[in-house]
Amino acid sequence: YEEGLTIISKDAQGNSMLSFMLNPADGSEPTGFMSGDQFTINNADYVFAANPADIVQSSGSLILACQGSEDGSTSATIYYLNDKTFVIENMLTAPEYPDFKPTQLGIPSVAATLAYPILCEDGQVYEFSLLEGALAKPVKLPYTYAQTAIVYDEGKSGYYNLIYWDKEVNGLCQIYNGYGPYYCGKTYLMQRNDCVGTANFFNGLNIRKMTLVKMTEEQRKAGNNSEILVITNNQIGMIQRTRLSVDFWGYNSETSENVLVDNGGYKVCGFGDLPLTETTPCIANLTYYSMLFADGNKVRRWNYTSSQQITAADVLQTIGSETAIICGFELSADHKLTYVAFYEPDQPGLNGSVWVI
């Protein structure tokens, strides 16, 4: 089988594009992307929905979410593509839900026959059944959520965490192996109705950004705790950073004590003009204890275990021209390479690129 890097993008009219860069079997360096039109090359009879939003590789398929055209010529669609050939295996539209504009798929890499959440542009969530290929109004997540959700799993069937920020109670909630949601509070497995006031670990705070701290396979085998970075701002214009275990509720079964796992405490720094929002591209890793985030055409690096202020994060790399806009990051499995996707708005034609640093 061929292996490589797959990336979604769109042209100036919003038409969906799918590009693939082959990883040579002889170990040599990749030479570049094949045609950015893998959709139509492998599915000549289909007109793909416009404005792709998210793609995940799961159980032998690439599952792709497209928002559809603004003029209504194509509607929001979920596609199953064979992850080796890019050929359509199944597809789903939902004309009965006009507000269905997907932004993030809550589907783990090894999916079971369960319903998984799809976050939409307005912060609402729909439930998507992989087995039935159907979309439904949510049961587990019926509220409004920030555009900074986390999908975390270890490639094991049935084992996964989905982390969302409930914007109405300002609380972090978790779907664990399909169960929940459980809320991040000061008691074990807190329910939403109890996640209020001082019982809410994030009492009075608004989400700024959260991201998973990625581990290598060796780090995972060594027993390192899975962590997320949660960045919030309070009402007086400060940034707070909290490191939490992905399983936020540490439970001591020997003493029956309910303990919230908090390994990092707070780092407080000036809010200033920090270019960091719910949708700012960023990525974090355990190897270098750092978070990389996009600031226009700059990749900025913040050491999240130090007292360094986020506003003082150094510029690791300047990408493309002065007007380039970074729109995505990914790490290699060993953390030795960082892939940076960006585009040049001032350039005509296919103006997107991926740099490797």
Side-chain angles (χ1 to χ4, degrees):
Y1 289 122
E2 294 180 342
E3 295 182 348
L5 180 68
T6 304
I7 191 168
I8 54 172
S9 58
K10 60 183 178 181
D11 65 14
Q13 290 72 45
N15 298 314
S16 297
M17 303 181 70
L18 184 71
S19 305
F20 179 71
M21 181 168 65
L22 178 66
N23 184 26
D26 61 7
S28 59
E29 290 296 318
T31 56
F33 285 94
M34 300 177 186
S35 167
D37 203 13
Q38 296 291 328
F39 282 140
T40 55
I41 289 175
N42 295 283
N43 302 276
D45 297 332
Y46 288 88
V47 175
F48 278 81
N51 295 306
D54 194 17
I55 188 170
V56 297
Q57 187 173 22
S58 180
S59 302
S61 295
L62 291 173
I63 303 176
L64 172 67
C66 295
Q67 292 189 345
S69 307
E70 294 182 3
D71 62 7
S73 57
T74 62
S75 59
T77 307
I78 306 296
Y79 296 97
Y80 294 67
L81 304 177
N82 183 285
D83 66 359
K84 302 298 181 183
T85 65
F86 306 118
V87 172
I88 291 179
E89 298 174 333
N90 201 355
M91 57 187 291
L92 167 71
T93 59
E96 67 274 28
Y97 299 125
D99 60 343
F100 179 61
K101 295 191 70 175
T103 55
Q104 186 172 356
L105 298 166
I107 301 174
S109 62
V110 181
T113 56
L114 298 171
Y116 296 102
I118 298 178
L119 182 63
C120 291
E121 196 170 73
D122 60 0
Q124 302 299 305
V125 168
Y126 280 88
E127 290 181 352
F128 174 52
S129 171
L130 288 174
L131 179 63
E132 299 174 358
L135 203 69
K137 289 287 188 178
V139 175
K140 293 182 181 296
L141 299 169
Y143 304 106
T144 304
Y145 304 91
Q147 295 290 333
T148 183
I150 292 173
V151 181
Y152 169 70
D153 68 89
E154 296 183 358
K156 300 176 182 177
S157 180
Y159 179 85
Y160 64 93
N161 286 275
L162 306 176
I163 315 295
Y164 292 85
W165 180 274
D166 186 325
K167 298 184 75 170
E168 296 166 14
V169 298
N170 284 356
L172 209 58
C173 62
Q174 173 196 47
I175 301 291
Y176 177 70
N177 294 353
Y179 297 99
Y182 306 118
Y183 277 74
C184 188
K186 296 181 179 179
T187 58
Y188 182 59
L189 297 181
M190 176 174 280
Q191 302 302 305
R192 187 178 192 266
N193 291 340
D194 302 318
C195 189
V196 294
T198 57
N200 182 354
F201 190 74
F202 299 98
N203 180 32
L205 302 176
N206 295 310
I207 191 68
R208 189 72 174 183
K209 187 67 184 180
M210 63 181 182
T211 187
L212 178 70
V213 178
K214 294 198 171 185
M215 288 191 288
T216 64
E217 186 64 24
E218 288 73 20
Q219 290 166 342
R220 184 177 291 112
K221 289 179 179 178
N224 288 280
N225 287 329
S226 299
E227 297 172 338
I228 55 176
L229 294 177
V230 180
I231 302 170
T232 61
N233 65 277
N234 63 20
Q235 297 176 351
I236 59 173
M238 303 293 286
I239 286 284
Q240 293 182 319
R241 189 273 296 168
T242 307
R243 289 170 58 207
L244 300 172
S245 167
V246 170
D247 297 323
F248 337 106
W249 306 271
Y251 186 68
N252 187 330
S253 59
E254 294 180 359
T255 61
S256 299
E257 293 179 353
N258 300 330
V259 181
L260 175 70
V261 178
D262 177 5
N263 295 321
Y266 290 103
K267 295 287 183 182
V268 181
C269 68
F271 188 87
D273 57 353
L274 178 69
L276 199 65
T277 68
E278 292 177 14
T279 57
T280 298
C282 71
I283 198 163
N285 70 83
L286 186 63
T287 300
Y288 303 105
Y289 305 105
S290 64
M291 182 180 82
L292 306 182
F293 63 93
D295 181 8
N297 72 329
K298 296 178 175 59
V299 179
R300 297 180 66 182
R301 175 175 53 191
W302 175 50
N303 185 333
Y304 63 81
T305 61
S306 74
S307 59
Q308 181 188 33
Q309 294 187 352
I310 308 178
T311 48
D314 60 302
V315 176
L316 175 65
Q317 188 81 37
T318 300
I319 301 294
S321 71
E322 291 184 359
T323 58
I325 298 176
I326 296 170
C327 48
F329 291 107
E330 192 51 85
L331 279 173
S332 62
D334 59 7
H335 294 182
K336 293 181 179 179
L337 301 175
T338 301
Y339 300 90
V340 187
F342 68 98
Y343 68 99
E344 300 278 3
D346 293 342
Q347 294 182 10
L350 303 182
N351 55 14
S353 300
V354 174
W355 279 14
V356 185
I357 59 177

